[in-house]
Structure formats: structure tokens, C-alpha cells
Amino acid sequence: MGPKGDGAARPAAPGPQAAVPGTSGTGAPAYPASAGPHPAAPDSRATPASDTAPADAPPAPVREAPVQDRPAASGAGVRLDRRASDEGGGGGDDYTLQAPDPRVAPEPHAAVCVACRAGRVDDDGYCENCGHAQPRERDHMEQERGPVAAVSDRGLRHHRNEDAFAVGTTTLSDGSPVSVAVVCDGVSSATRPDEASLAASRAANASLLDALPRGTHPQQAMHEAILAASEAVNALADEQGVEAREHAPQQNAPACTIVGAVVTAGLLVVGWVGDSRAYWIPVDRSAPAARLTEDDSWAAQMVAAGLMGEAEAYADHRAHAITGWLGADAYELEPHTAAFKPDRPGVVVVCTDGLWNYAESADEMAEAVPADAAARPLHAARVLVGHALDGGGHDNVTVALVPFPAVPQGAGSA
């Protein structure tokens, strides 16, 4: 997620969602893509994996807030989702490697540089011999929990990964299984965007895993989870203290987007704020795929208001300015939730714009998703990350895949 800018008036609210083919529920937006497809990629790069499970995160308090399926947009505020320096590319990770000094040996058990294999890594994560920055824990992350899997990668242009995810499984009050996935994208122009995305994903995941077994309806649980994520991000701004804010008043509060999915035996619920997305990809590719979320973005609102055509809006340099986010400086928190009852098995793709920029429409995303994604979600997530990297990897890339099981006999669609 790129920088933000404040002050532009918010355009008119998006129109009602179109029905999702093969599903029923509150509906989903249908914005075709303007970006062309990219060829499918092999597995993502071989990089050490790490676990991002929010094992110790305390459950968020349950609120008796009404579910807001499609709240009307109001207020003002825009965060730009593109940094000027990013457009021109530039690596920044290339260093001239010097021969190690044979008189200086790394200390026992000290980390050794992955580039020159000789220098010691200092406390800031740089090699004392060649100066190369070392891979960080969040540069590439993978996790598989039951049928749910997620992969996150720093990408090829950014110096750190500001995305985060959390996945998990639990049971409903009747004992039936439920899968959860949350993906967050830090806003780069804000302070500590990586911390914001991590705090939000952990808080939302903990809230869902706490509320669902107690009998909270999945759509209400998703609404409450977004509120819990917002509180977690707001708390980061409180930690800065008055003195820090006085010395850097121009800095924006920590901020991120959020998108999540809850999948039960017969129900699919999504929730979001910002421009991270969820897609529905049926196992039977003869049925159409669908996008389940509608961006809180300048381009989406221009199209919804009828002020610009889709191709024109998404080609504009303001297209990726987001009009909704989690953060203390958000003008108004508007959690969106939607519920669907698919009539066939499939897989839910939950991702940041680092992926959907390379597979924007539902058809393009379906083309990029491997045919066996429901049976091999971790492999499919790696393939999708590789697809974005092969396309240019201009942003951090994060995707979670949640298989939707076959509809029980006689259940049908409501």
C-alpha cells in the first residue's frame, strides 16, 4: 500500500451490489478489470517460511453493534496508494561485495551474512563485511491451518513487507467446522504501517475465533472483528505519546486496510475496509467467478457515481487513492460485510492489491488460480504470489485461500 494524502472530498457512495453468479446473499460488486492478464507463474521463490499465527493475542471484547452490510459513504479523506518513487522502479538492494577480512572471524553463534557468507550481521540487520541487508522474518511468510493457507512476500520493489495475515479454524456452537482468514495492507505514508497491519490482522482473527464458537452469527462476528482491528490500530497511535506527535505533526497515524472471510459448511461471509479484496472461484470453472468486495477507492467511487467510465477511472493517477482505512485519523469507520450461500464448492481468494493489480477482474483471478486450489491451498497461494512477482512485484503481495466445501445434500441455496 502506498502513501496517502488527505483532504479530497469523498465522492458519492457506491451503488448496490450485483448478485454473484452461483450464490445468494447480500450480493457483490461487479467491476471488470482494466489491467491485462499475466501468465501463470510457478511456485514462489524458495525462501525461509515463518509462522504468523496470533497464538497469544487476547480476544477482543464483543460489541452489540448492528451489522452494516452496505453503509453509505460520508465524510472526506483520501490516502494515496502509490508513491512517486515506486513508479520508476529502482532496486536499492544491490551492493558491491568485498572480500572478507581473514583476520576477522564471526563470533561463535553469530548470524552470518547470506550474501558473502563471511561477515557478521549487526543488530540493525546489516552485514558488517559487505553491508548487505539481511532477510527479515516478514520478507516471506507462509502458513497453513487445516484447509486454510496464506503466503505473504515483500515483493521486488519495497524494502520491507507491510502486509500481514492471520488464518485459523474453529467450530461453531453446533460443532460444525469454520475457517477464517484475515489479510491487511499497511499504508506506507503512515507511521509504522507494518505494525498496523500486524496488529489489525491479529486482533480481527482473535475476535472471530472467540465469537464464532459462542454462537455469534458469522456476519455479526465479522463486523465486530473489524471494530476490534480498528481499536488495535488506534492503540498504536496512542503509544506515540504527545511529545512524539508534537515533534512530527506532519506524520500520519498508523493505518492499514483489512479484508476477511469466514467459511462454514453452507455460508460464506466477507468483510472489508479499504481496497484489499476477496474473490469467489468455483471449482467447476464452467461457472463464473466473482469479486465479493467493492474497493473504498477513488476510482471505484467515480465509477459508482457515474462520473467516469471504468477504464478511464482506473487509468487515472488518482485511481488507487483509498477512501476508507483503519487508523486513528480515519474520518469515519465504515465496516462493510456481505454474506453468500454458494451452490457449489469453490475457493475464496483473500488478497491485497499487490496481487490483484496483476489479476484484477474475477475472470483474470480465476485464470491465475490453479485448478486444484481447493485441494492444495498452500501450493495455490505460492503460485499466486509467483504470478504477482513475475508480473513485476511492484508491491508487497499477500494472499490467503479458503476452500468452500461442497454444499450438503438437500441444503441448497437460501
Side-chain angles (χ1 to χ4, degrees), residues 90-170:
D93 286 336
D94 295 330
Y95 297 88
T96 301
L97 302 185
Q98 301 175 356
D101 187 341
R103 298 168 298 176
V104 180
E107 297 178 6
H109 309 297
V112 177
C113 175
V114 299
C116 68
R117 303 290 182 182
R120 187 182 64 136
V121 179
D122 64 21
D123 294 338
D124 294 324
Y126 292 87
C127 176
E128 294 182 346
N129 174 61
C130 67
H132 197 286
Q134 305 301 295
R136 286 163 288 195
E137 181 183 9
R138 289 178 65 176
D139 282 358
H140 185 89
M141 303 177 290
E142 298 185 357
Q143 188 177 4
E144 191 169 28
R145 285 291 176 90
V148 194
V151 176
S152 182
D153 193 273
R154 186 186 66 177
L156 305 179
R157 302 293 183 90
H158 286 265
H159 72 285
R160 67 179 175 185
N161 190 356
E162 296 171 355
D163 288 355
F165 67 79
V167 295
T169 59
T170 184

Side-chain angles (χ1 to χ4, degrees), residues 392-410:
H394 286 74
D395 201 352
N396 307 143
V397 187
T398 302
V399 57
L401 294 181
V402 191
F404 185 89
V407 179
Q409 287 282 338

